[in-house]
Amino acid sequence: MHSAGPARLTQTKGKYEMKYGQQIDDWSALFLSETDEHFQNLETRVQQSIMAIEGAVSGLKNLKHPLQFQDRIQALFYGLGVSLPYSITGIVLLVLYFVLIRDGQLYRERQKILDQYQNAPAYRQIMEQGRIIEDRGVLYLQLEPLPKKGEVQIGKHYIYNSQGRHVLVPLGSQ
């Protein structure tokens, strides 16, 4: 701020006397002079702000491009062209997420079974080649007696041990 000199104080006293027809003391003239200076600074800042805002508004108006369509179908296709890629990407990501979640749960369940039953890997070939049938709601592994000639097929043949009176099912060699 500028300090109010004697000439400025005299000028302020003169303006006040011309406008209102009364004289004022030096302190009132000093106060009016300082207040006038503050308002001039404030007015300068407000004008600069208004100019900056007007510049920003005109810049935004220049960035805006109005679209006009000939009919509703053209507008619909434009809207689909803008939003459809994002929608498809979102749907694909959702489906992928749910598939991975489901497969992860299946994997954990199967891994739990393998961890729980240590002999499970030995049954692999019988699971791959065995034939399962259903009879009255009950599942059975169907096996046939070992033929007199030919090779033993895992998951298809069994061997009956008459001495121990039990059935041997080949699981393959280790």
Side-chain angles (χ1 to χ4, degrees):
M1 291 184 222
H2 302 103
S3 61
R8 186 170 171 126
L9 291 177
T10 305
Q11 186 181 23
T12 304
K13 284 181 182 180
K15 280 184 186 177
Y16 188 83
E17 190 175 338
M18 283 180 67
K19 189 171 186 177
Y20 299 108
Q22 289 188 353
Q23 287 187 348
I24 56 171
D25 63 349
D26 286 345
W27 282 107
S28 298
L30 181 64
F31 177 72
L32 288 174
S33 176
E34 287 292 320
T35 305
D36 185 45
E37 187 177 327
H38 282 292
F39 276 116
Q40 286 176 357
N41 285 340
L42 188 61
E43 187 177 346
T44 303
R45 286 187 200 160
V46 168
Q47 287 299 327
Q48 289 173 348
S49 297
I50 289 172
M51 290 174 61
I53 290 170
E54 286 176 351
V57 166
S58 68
L60 288 175
K61 284 182 181 177
N62 291 338
L63 289 176
K64 220 173 28 171
H65 301 290
L67 295 174
Q68 293 181 350
F69 300 104
Q70 294 174 354
D71 56 7
R72 289 183 180 204
I73 298 207
Q74 189 179 21
L76 173 71
F77 283 127
Y78 175 78
L80 286 176
V82 169
S83 62
L84 193 63
Y86 298 113
S87 301
I88 289 174
T89 303
I91 290 170
V92 166
L93 288 175
L94 276 173
V95 167
L96 184 63
Y97 175 75
F98 286 117
V99 165
L100 289 175
I101 292 289
R102 184 195 54 170
D103 286 350
Q105 289 173 341
L106 286 172
Y107 174 77
R108 283 190 294 276
E109 288 173 13
R110 291 178 181 164
Q111 189 63 40
K112 184 179 173 183
I113 291 170
L114 286 175
D115 292 341
Q116 201 170 23
Y117 302 105
Q118 293 178 3
N119 290 336
Y123 291 100
R124 182 175 153 250
Q125 285 185 323
I126 202 166
M127 286 188 283
E128 290 174 353
Q129 299 172 9
R131 182 171 169 204
I132 307 277
I133 60 167
E134 183 179 349
D135 186 22
R136 297 184 197 127
V138 180
L139 295 176
Y140 296 99
L141 175 63
Q142 181 181 8
L143 298 173
E144 299 170 1
L146 182 65
K148 301 287 184 206
K149 292 184 180 177
E151 295 181 17
V152 175
Q153 292 183 355
I154 297 170
K156 186 174 181 183
H157 297 129
Y158 70 89
I159 301 169
Y160 180 71
N161 185 343
S162 58
Q163 292 173 340
R165 299 188 65 176
H166 57 265
V167 173
L168 300 174
V169 178
L171 296 178
S173 59
Q174 291 185 350

